[in-house]
Amino acid sequence: MKALFVGLSLWLAAMSAWSTERDTALTAIIDAHWAWQLEQHPEWRLDYGDRSGNALWTDASIEALDARHQARQGFVRQLSAIEPATLSADANLNRSMLLRELRDDIAAHELGVDLMSINMRSGPQHRHGMVEYLPFDTAQDYEDWLTRLETLPAQLGQYQGQLTEGIAQQRTQARIVMARVPEQIDRVINADPEKSPFWRVFASMPQSIDDHTQAEFKARARRVISEQLNPAYAAFKTFMVESYLPACREAPGIGSLPGGKDIYRELVKQFTTTDLSPEQVHEIGLKEVTRIRSEMLTIIDEVGFEGDLQAFNAFLRSDPQFYYNDAATLLTAYQAISKRIDPELVKLFGKLPRTPYGVRPIPSEIAPDTTTAYYMGPAADGSRAGFYYVNLYRPEVRPKYEMEVLSVHEAVPGHHLQIALAQELDNLPNFRRDSNVTAFVEGWGLYSERLGYDLGLYQDPYSRYGQLIYDMWRAVRLVVDTGIHYFGWSRQQAIDYFLANAAKSEADIINEIDRYIGWPGQALAYKIGQMKMLALRAEAEATLGDNFDIRAFHDTLLGAGAIPLDALETRMNNWLRDQQAIAQ
């Protein structure tokens, strides 16, 4: 018996050593992949305290896209050579997540998705927005920015090459979305270089830079804007108007392209991290719309409004009592809500991030064509806070009753809390700390909207209706995104469905529909992720009863960073079994 025990101990020790050795081999591949990512995308380096990429752009040429595709296949071969059973549990998750990321990118390239990388919200027409997170403290920072501006025309040419190849392969965006781009380019071009959005950082330079150097930088900036950027953007606009727009697909849905439904099925899988079909997602959306509509009608009865859902929504869209008159007051109100939420977080979380966040207006150059708000994460090295950006364009269409629910989604306990916590998980490889699994990240943001009740928000029926508006908004997405891209809905059909079921303003709804047209499948992740998290919480509450600890639940749910929904379910089921054992 003693010999058997010794033999078992030796075998376990050998297995542990073997697992450690395989974990080490995996770590080497992960580290090599991360180094390759930073080499390919020099803009990312700054977040890790490395300014070596501040004068560089990601190579967007067709040749670079093909080379990355080949490199990703090489990493897949290396990862596939490691048997999952030989790894520790943590290493196994690292392997599976990196494989999923690589295979998604490979599939997107093979389907031609990366030839449709520009839309109204993304592309080189928005490069001036980088100044929101770049440092401008030293002369070298300005030198780097000027170098980038001088080489930006070359990148515009690379994007033109992508779009030209997209035309050849019948991989084009919808014309209705791309029709906004020429006007966006017009906002970049200005005969007076000092009115260019690229000039903004030169208007007020730090005193640490001497006057002579400042004058040289400003003179150089005027030249590059006038002589290089303006002509390059004008040529890019000409290409868009004369070549790309006429070749764009007439129908809004990606399903109208050759093999388009296969592309969409792949995108559904990627964004939801599930095996749900477009048909199943559409049906889930219809059921959620019906459920939420019932809750909305209850509130309409509560406030004594005489009329149906559409009439109440029209009342909310049009009555001045629900809107601020000016942008400054709207911004102050957003900031006040955010600060009111912060001290309540300890009720729901045992661990909070060290990194702070701020509230900023969306830059005026992009505000007309973007959403109500968005979040920009902090730098991984702690050198930049996170920021919650709010849209102040036309304050008369930004309802007060949406402000609380929007803030809990974009700031805390939504995106900022989750993303900042993930970045502070020192036991994870960099690609995990920076993971942007949409079903988790946006699912958590939407789940957080329900937490507003636990935080003492939504005290009046209109704010509670605002929370339902946002829940309905994401349910409607399931219906209209699949409707547009898989079932062949027209843009107007999608707008009409949205208007009939949600109280978002018509301006917001049009921007939202165009966003879905330009970014197929992404909008599905929110509701699918939220529903999974709500189901996991409901199961834990039912199983543990009085022993359920909401803070422990949330700390565990967020404790591995953003992970696919199947991995999240496994993690939370393991936690639940551990909690049951403790309670017995």
Side-chain angles (χ1 to χ4, degrees), residues 176-194:
I176 191 66
V177 169
M178 299 306 291
R180 295 196 186 200
V181 174
E183 185 179 346
Q184 293 173 338
I185 297 172
D186 283 340
R187 293 181 205 142
V188 176
I189 303 170
N190 199 298
D192 181 353
E194 295 189 16

Side-chain angles (χ1 to χ4, degrees), residues 528-584:
I528 299 301
Q530 178 222 32
M531 292 176 72
K532 172 58 69 177
M533 292 175 185
L534 288 172
L536 291 170
R537 176 172 168 176
E539 181 182 4
E541 287 176 329
T543 302
L544 297 175
D546 291 341
N547 292 312
F548 176 75
D549 182 346
I550 187 62
R551 298 169 80 205
F553 175 82
H554 286 151
D555 289 351
T556 304
L557 193 148
L558 297 177
I563 57 179
L565 297 185
D566 53 354
L568 177 66
E569 183 169 13
T570 298
R571 176 179 174 82
M572 299 313 296
N573 286 343
N574 290 340
W575 172 82
L576 183 56
R577 282 193 293 271
D578 290 344
Q579 296 301 300
Q580 286 179 280
I582 293 169
Q584 289 176 351

Side-chain angles (χ1 to χ4, degrees), residues 10 212 425 441 497:
L10 290 172
H212 176 72
L425 293 171
V441 173
Y497 185 86

Side-chain angles (χ1 to χ4, degrees), residues 466-526:
Q467 184 270 315
L468 291 175
I469 286 172
Y470 270 50
D471 209 23
M472 176 68 89
W473 173 19
R474 280 41 166 265
V476 165
R477 283 177 171 179
L478 300 184
V479 179
V480 298
D481 197 271
T482 51
I484 291 167
H485 293 294
Y486 196 77
F487 294 107
W489 285 20
S490 70
R491 177 175 180 261
Q492 190 59 51
Q493 188 176 354
I495 292 171
D496 290 344
Y497 185 86
F498 210 139
L499 283 168
N501 289 286
K504 297 287 287 178
S505 70
E506 187 167 3
D508 272 352
I509 286 172
I510 291 170
N511 273 348
E512 282 293 316
I513 293 298
D514 286 350
R515 169 189 166 182
Y516 311 152
I517 291 170
W519 202 358
Q522 191 270 352
L524 309 178
Y526 299 66

Side-chain angles (χ1 to χ4, degrees), residues 149-150 153 190-191 193 219-233:
L149 297 188
E150 289 165 348
N190 199 298
R220 187 172 157 196
R222 291 186 191 96
R223 285 195 304 274
V224 72
I225 292 170
S226 297
E227 299 173 12
Q228 297 181 56
L229 288 183
N230 283 349
Y233 273 108

